[in-house]
Amino acid sequence: MFKKISKIQNLGVFHNFSGAALPEFAPFNLIYGWNYSGKTTLSRMFRCLENGQHHPDYTNASFSLEEMDGTIHDQRFAHPCIVRVFNEDFRKDNLLWDEADGFNPIFLLGSENIDLTNDLNEKESKHAALVIERDEAGQEVKKREAVISKAETDCATQISKELPVGRFIKTSLRPIFAEWNGVLPPELDVETLKTARAKVSAEQKQPIKNLSLNLEAIDEIWKRAVGHLTEEIGSSETISRLVDHPEIGVWVEEGHSLHKDKDHCEFCEAPLSPERLKALNEHFSDEFGRLKSKVTIAVSEIEKRIVDISPVDYPQSAFYVDYQDEHSGIWKELDQTTAHLNNSLQKLIEALNQKKSNPFEKIQFDVEAPNLEPVKLALEKARSLILKNNDRTEQFSKERDAAIETLKRHYASEAMRRIDRFKLLAEIQEHKAVQQSASNSLTALEAEILSLQAQLSQANKGAVAINDTLVRFFGKADLQVKVTQDDKYVLMRGSQQARNLSEGERTAIAFCYFVTKLQENGNELANTVVYIDDPISSLDSHHLLHINAFIRDTFYKFDPTANPKHTCLAKQLFVSTHNYEFFHLTWDWMSKMKREHSSAFLIERTDANGLICSHIIECPDAIKLYRSEYLFLFHQLSAYQDAPSSDPQVIFNLGNMARRFIEGYLAFKLFEHVNVDSKLDQIITDPVNCERARKFMHFYSHTLNRAGGMRLPDMSEAQAVVTLLLDAVRNHDPIHYGAMAATR
């Protein structure tokens, strides 16, 4: 049983309704609303639950109803429920009044078919369970396939964006998946992944020349050069001043070579004595020259071993991106080791130059011979990197393609690892097996059900059942159903086929057919929620009484000895009507129950900010207590006169209520049944006020006019006209007015 309507959105005039403030539904529920207020729209929401699908006019509608046990029924139709709705849609779907075929066959169960019925119920229950099992398995399959499909699409999109592969879609991944043979490959380590990405993003580099350093015989040269530093000249005929002052000695040595075979000084032109020349020759002896020559040669040999690596020839940018970090480390090591070597060699060169300046001086040199192994190791690393870089250049296209394939497989494996692809595939196969098994069982079971239904579907029994219902309704066998030779129904009036049925008869017969169908296929009324929308549309008063009694007899049972005394024979009953008299006829017997057994509601159609929308509220006491719609309208207008409001939802209905109230008064007072204009001046004698009231009632009476809903009367104008109309009735018939006022 439904407890409440939580919400209705985008369903006709129900734009955004919330039922949070409504009292809970009862077993018996009566709903009142004027025409076009939204009653039929509300019934269509219940019919959506009956059919398990959206109404074609409201495909975007959403709604939510809660059962007493907390079960939620909404537009997803996840939980089946037994609901039967009588409304205009039911009539269109089931009765073809203008066709000779009559309406769709029905069948009811007879006592002789109990065994067949039990068997059918059992098979239908099993069928329902199998349908759920099949559909749930199918949903599980779709859910997992959707996960895999999305992961594949996302992976293909990533590959297309990050790799130069052109058009790449999820089906392009199939060859990669086939390589795995059901087992995901291991993850790539960070360095491998980094290298592959660098190869893909790199540009092809130019070949780099090989790096060559002259490290030949450094140990031997070093040892020989250090020996020269302590070597002494054997001559004892040295000039002490030149030894003590090597800078003078260098100057004199240069001048000595210039004065060979000269007898005068080229500087001062003084004569050179033979004694002085002899002393200089002995000082700058052959041994002196040989030692100085050896020192000069040593300096030259060492200078050739000074390492000078041009940064222009080996810049970091000349190497591929994934080698540049390695280049940075190697060249740093190479710079450090060669700098240490150069420093040692430079110190030795300085010492040799000092020796060269004064060959007679013994130079103390305690610098250790350089260790060449770090230099050689760094040099080997540099040469290896250059070779590797040049090989990359030669194999660039091949390695780039291989890197692309590596990354494609990496992206694919990572995407499938995140969703656990092979686990999902195994689960899909399991659910497909369940789905196929249920489908096979359903095929066999449906054939059995069709056979049982064929045995139970006997048109003559259906005709007997609906004819019995028609007799119950009309109290006589006036209209009857006849079965044709091809098992179709026609309506008969006596011995003649019924023609030109009145609207009241059509509605009554449709309702009788609806009640009969409540019992078809073994359906239990006690398990069925029944919604009846406007069962007395266009009926005369005789049919109005008939259908009220018929509804009461069909769905209500009173037993003074039982507890509870009042019983709803359906699971729950909803009746909606626009007819004020029918509302009170029905409420007359519903209201005798306690509040938990019966409830009454009102559907209001209002205009807020130019948007016409409907809301369900608890039925006001003014409607429930008085049987006259005329009196209800008086109460509404009087209430507005007492407490005027600028709320559009209040002002919106004033024109319509004023017109209907005045029409009612003029009808019984002056027997005016055509329009409000012809005799309005008899109760409002002032022509200006009469025209003012007439304009207000016509202009703002917009029950059927949506555009009119965009026009709201000014609050002061509405207050003035309502007061004018009520004063007119009071002045015209003060006794009548006083009687109405006394009911407030």
Side-chain angles (χ1 to χ4, degrees):
M1 188 166 74
F2 293 121
K3 179 180 180 181
K4 64 179 180 179
I5 298 175
S6 300
K7 71 168 186 178
I8 309 175
Q9 294 178 337
N10 301 321
L11 185 71
V13 291
F14 290 96
H15 294 288
N16 189 18
F17 168 70
S18 170
L22 277 181
E24 293 182 3
F25 290 136
F28 293 95
N29 301 277
L30 185 57
I31 302 171
Y32 177 69
W34 291 345
N35 280 334
Y36 306 100
S37 64
K39 298 187 306 303
T40 299
T41 301
L42 183 63
S43 73
R44 283 173 174 158
M45 181 190 71
F46 282 85
R47 199 149 199 262
C48 289
L49 295 175
E50 176 181 355
N51 297 330
Q53 62 184 14
H54 281 285
H55 189 281
D57 292 343
Y58 312 116
T59 55
N60 294 324
S62 62
F63 52 84
S64 177
L65 292 88
E66 181 181 348
E67 287 199 38
M68 293 297 180
D69 63 1
T71 301
I72 301 299
H73 297 276
D74 56 25
Q75 69 281 354
R76 294 172 295 182
F77 310 109
H79 302 288
C81 57
I82 303 175
V83 178
R84 297 293 182 266
V85 178
F86 175 78
N87 62 5
E88 185 62 26
D89 294 339
F90 173 86
R91 293 178 59 184
K92 291 178 180 178
D93 291 345
N94 291 277
L95 285 87
L96 306 176
W97 293 107
D98 297 328
E99 300 292 337
D101 287 345
F103 43 88
N104 298 334
I106 62 170
F107 62 88
L108 294 179
L109 302 177
S111 58
E112 70 278 10
N113 294 317
I114 294 298
D115 293 338
L116 289 175
T117 302
N118 292 337
D119 193 12
L120 178 62
N121 290 339
E122 181 181 345
K123 292 185 184 302
E124 287 180 336
S125 297
K126 185 177 180 181
H127 182 277
L130 283 171
V131 168
I132 293 173
E133 182 179 352
R134 179 199 63 192
D135 292 349
E136 287 180 348
Q139 289 299 320
E140 293 300 322
V141 169
K142 289 180 181 179
K143 187 190 303 181
R144 286 160 177 78
E145 287 178 340
V147 172
I148 293 176
S149 178
K150 184 178 185 304
E152 290 177 349
T153 300
D154 291 345
C155 178
T157 301
Q158 181 185 18
I159 290 173
S160 295
K161 288 181 178 179
E162 298 188 16
L163 301 178
V165 294
R167 184 172 182 268
F168 196 92
I169 57 178
K170 68 178 183 180
T171 55
S172 306
L173 294 167
R174 290 175 182 172
I176 298 176
F177 298 153
E179 295 173 359
W180 296 345
N181 292 322
V183 179
L184 283 168
E187 298 182 62
L188 290 182
D189 61 80
V190 175
E191 286 304 317
T192 301
L193 187 58
K194 181 179 178 182
T195 300
R197 284 175 172 156
K199 287 180 179 179
V200 171
S201 61
E203 296 180 2
Q204 190 170 12
K205 302 291 185 179
Q206 295 298 318
I208 302 172
K209 69 179 183 179
N210 194 21
L211 177 61
S212 177
L213 300 181
N214 186 8
L215 302 178
E216 183 181 358
I218 286 183
D219 291 340
E220 182 182 346
I221 294 171
W222 180 279
K223 184 177 181 181
R224 188 166 54 245
V226 171
H228 293 333
L229 295 176
T230 57
E231 191 174 341
E232 295 181 328
I233 300 174
S235 175
S236 60
E237 301 298 328
T238 59
I239 301 173
S240 58
R241 179 173 175 78
L242 299 183
V243 173
D244 295 338
H245 299 280
E247 69 278 6
I248 299 175
V250 171
W251 177 65
V252 173
E253 182 184 5
E254 184 178 358
H256 178 260
S257 65
L258 295 175
H259 288 80
K260 190 175 183 179
D261 300 327
K262 300 288 180 68
D263 54 5
H264 285 80
C265 176
E266 292 292 339
F267 181 73
C268 65
E269 296 184 350
L272 293 172
S273 67
E275 294 80 8
R276 185 62 180 169
L277 289 173
K278 179 182 179 182
L280 289 173
N281 288 336
E282 289 178 352
H283 182 87
F284 298 110
S285 64
D286 292 342
E287 191 173 353
F288 177 92
R290 285 192 297 272
L291 177 58
K292 194 167 183 179
S293 177
K294 288 191 290 184
V295 171
T296 300
I297 292 171
V299 169
S300 176
E301 289 178 334
I302 293 172
E303 284 178 343
K304 292 178 181 178
R305 269 67 180 177
I306 294 291
V307 177
D308 182 17
I309 303 175
S310 174
V312 175
D313 295 331
Y314 305 98
Q316 190 179 50
S317 60
F319 292 80
Y320 290 100
V321 174
D322 52 315
Y323 292 163
Q324 289 181 0
D325 287 345
E326 187 177 358
H327 170 280
S328 178
I330 291 174
W331 251 254
K332 181 179 180 181
E333 181 181 349
L334 190 61
D335 289 344
Q336 290 175 346
T337 56
T338 56
H340 186 270
L341 171 63
N342 288 343
N343 185 54
S344 298
L345 294 176
Q346 196 63 47
K347 287 180 179 179
L348 181 55
I349 289 172
E350 291 173 0
L352 288 170
N353 285 331
Q354 184 180 352
K355 180 68 175 179
K356 183 178 178 182
S357 298
N358 191 0
F360 299 100
E361 183 182 4
K362 292 179 67 174
I363 305 300
Q364 296 298 321
F365 188 72
D366 55 3
V367 177
E368 293 183 1
N371 183 4
L372 297 180
E373 290 307 314
V375 179
K376 291 178 179 179
L377 180 61
L379 177 61
E380 184 60 30
K381 290 180 181 178
R383 287 172 174 170
S384 176
L385 182 61
I386 291 171
L387 179 61
K388 187 165 60 171
N389 200 76
N390 289 342
D391 287 344
R392 169 78 69 82
T393 297
E394 293 179 8
Q395 302 292 327
F396 182 81
S397 296
K398 184 178 179 180
E399 289 194 10
R400 186 168 181 265
D401 291 343
I404 290 173
E405 291 302 314
T406 297
L407 289 176
K408 281 162 60 176
R409 284 162 174 77
H410 166 73
Y411 290 144
S413 63
E414 287 303 296
M416 296 304 105
R417 185 175 287 108
R418 282 193 292 271
I419 64 170
D420 202 344
R421 175 186 179 89
F422 293 112
K423 179 184 177 183
L424 289 177
L425 289 175
E427 292 174 352
I428 286 173
Q429 291 307 313
E430 292 175 2
H431 288 299
K432 280 187 174 180
V434 172
Q435 186 181 25
Q436 186 60 50
S437 175
S439 296
N440 293 340
S441 299
L442 280 170
T443 300
L445 191 60
E446 284 168 356
E448 296 174 10
I449 289 173
L450 285 174
S451 176
L452 289 172
Q453 288 177 339
Q455 296 176 58
L456 289 168
S457 182
Q458 300 179 38
N460 59 341
K461 290 191 176 182
V464 170
I466 194 170
N467 286 335
D468 288 345
T469 306
L470 288 170
V471 171
R472 283 178 53 213
F473 183 87
F474 288 107
K476 59 181 178 178
D478 183 17
L479 289 174
Q480 290 285 282
V481 172
K482 180 181 178 182
V483 183
T484 64
Q485 291 182 351
D486 56 355
D487 288 336
K488 295 182 178 179
Y489 291 159
V490 293
L491 282 170
M492 305 297 293
R493 194 189 301 275
S495 60
Q496 301 296 319
Q497 186 171 341
R499 300 288 185 183
N500 302 318
L501 291 171
S502 70
E503 192 62 30
E505 289 175 320
R506 291 172 184 243
T507 302
I509 294 170
F511 185 65
C512 289
Y513 177 58
F514 169 78
V515 170
T516 304
K517 281 183 65 69
L518 291 176
Q519 305 292 334
E520 75 174 352
N521 293 329
N523 183 63
E524 294 290 339
L525 182 60
N527 297 327
T528 307
V529 175
V530 178
Y531 192 108
I532 302 170
D533 176 48
D534 254 345
I536 43 75
S537 176
S538 304
L539 293 182
D540 57 23
S541 60
H542 176 69
H543 286 150
L544 185 149
L545 296 173
H546 268 304
I547 203 162
N548 175 68
F550 185 73
I551 290 175
R552 187 176 188 276
D553 181 63
T554 303
F555 299 104
Y556 171 64
K557 178 181 178 181
F558 174 73
D559 184 353
T561 63
N563 186 21
K565 299 178 181 179
H566 307 278
T567 303
C568 183
L569 299 179
K571 188 173 185 179
Q572 193 172 24
L573 177 65
F574 292 86
V575 179
S576 64
T577 181
H578 75 287
N579 187 286
Y580 203 82
E581 183 65 22
F582 180 77
F583 173 86
H584 278 282
L585 281 172
T586 306
W587 186 242
D588 184 60
W589 56 269
M590 284 189 180
S591 62
K592 292 181 171 58
M593 311 174 198
K594 293 182 179 179
R595 172 61 185 84
E596 60 267 23
H597 291 104
S598 64
S599 296
F601 302 90
L602 174 68
I603 298 181
E604 285 188 326
R605 181 172 173 175
T606 59
D607 182 357
N609 299 322
L611 177 66
I612 296 177
C613 57
S614 291
H615 302 273
I616 307 170
I617 63 172
E618 185 175 9
C619 189
D621 289 340
I623 295 179
K624 291 189 292 185
L625 294 177
Y626 302 105
R627 296 179 63 91
S628 169
E629 182 185 41
Y630 169 75
L631 186 59
F632 165 69
L633 294 171
F634 171 77
H635 284 192
Q636 295 295 99
L637 295 173
S638 297
Y640 181 79
Q641 183 186 36
D642 294 342
S645 170
S646 60
D647 186 349
Q649 297 190 22
V650 175
I651 296 179
F652 176 77
N653 288 313
L654 283 177
N656 201 16
M657 288 192 295
R659 180 182 58 80
R660 293 174 69 141
F661 172 68
I662 293 300
E663 284 178 348
Y665 180 76
L666 294 177
F668 76 81
K669 196 68 178 177
L670 301 176
F671 300 104
E672 171 54 56
H673 295 283
V674 179
N675 58 61
V676 73
D677 296 337
S678 61
K679 295 186 179 179
L680 182 62
D681 57 357
Q682 295 188 31
I683 64 171
I684 304 178
T685 56
D686 182 274
V688 175
N689 286 338
C690 182
E691 181 62 16
R692 182 183 187 186
R694 186 185 68 81
K695 286 288 188 182
F696 180 87
M697 289 186 288
H698 281 306
F699 191 70
Y700 297 116
S701 179
H702 41 62
T703 300
L704 305 179
N705 185 354
R706 194 190 192 288
M710 309 299 288
R711 305 188 299 264
L712 290 176
D714 177 78
M715 178 180 171
S716 60
E717 178 68 9
Q719 184 180 4
V721 173
V722 168
T723 300
L724 174 64
L725 293 173
L726 292 177
D727 287 346
V729 173
R730 179 192 293 111
N731 295 334
H732 191 258
D733 191 340
I735 296 176
H736 171 68
Y737 186 92
M740 288 193 296
T743 64
R744 295 187 63 198

